[in-house]
Amino acid sequence: MSELLPVLHLALTAAYAGFQWTVRGVVYPQFDQVPAGSFGAYERRHQQRISRVVGPLFAGQLVTTGWLLVARPPGAPLPAVVAGAACLGAVLLLTVAGAVPQHRRLSAGWDGEAFRQLLRVDTARAVAATAGTAAAVGVLVPLA
């Protein structure tokens, strides 16, 4: 399994980064097209549905990142492992401290300022996720 761990980790980080860029580039830009009177219900459904995708991706990354930190495969560079862990930490912190509060505000109804803040936070999450994928490549390449 230790040989497959870096590959699984790369797959999870890349899947999450792709998901995050899709949300940022496709899903969120459509929010302001939802009629204001329907937006609160729309946002609550969005949160329920998106959690089914993001939850397993976060859980998988937490497991593989933890495993890489604890049982680093021989030849896996520690700086890349630590950088990946830092990127995941940044994504999780941005999610909990930035995105979740904005989603809560939006679940009460359309709020242009909350939406703009969500877009800023989400851009930072997408960048951090992409950097995490680059770090995962940095773990895997020396092992090849």
Side-chain angles (χ1 to χ4, degrees), residues 1-116:
M1 177 63 181
S2 66
E3 301 84 26
L4 294 178
L5 175 62
V7 174
L8 178 59
H9 181 67
L10 175 59
L12 286 164
T13 61
Y16 177 74
F19 157 82
Q20 194 62 61
W21 281 111
T22 301
V23 167
R24 177 60 187 89
V26 177
V27 177
Y28 287 165
Q30 297 179 56
F31 273 24
D32 65 359
Q33 302 300 306
V34 177
S38 305
F39 189 81
Y42 174 85
E43 168 63 19
R44 289 187 295 277
R45 284 190 308 274
H46 164 79
Q47 290 177 45
Q48 291 170 341
R49 291 176 178 151
I50 210 79
S51 295
R52 296 178 193 148
V53 176
V54 76
L57 289 171
F58 279 167
Q61 287 182 85
L62 282 166
V63 168
T64 59
T65 298
W67 197 343
L68 284 169
L69 286 167
V70 172
R72 188 168 38 105
L78 183 59
V81 172
V82 171
C87 290
L88 178 58
V91 166
L92 294 173
L93 180 62
L94 286 162
T95 299
V96 170
V100 169
Q102 301 317 314
H103 279 294
R104 285 190 181 132
R105 284 176 61 188
L106 289 166
S107 70
W110 178 253
D111 179 330
E113 180 56 28
F115 177 64
R116 287 185 292 280

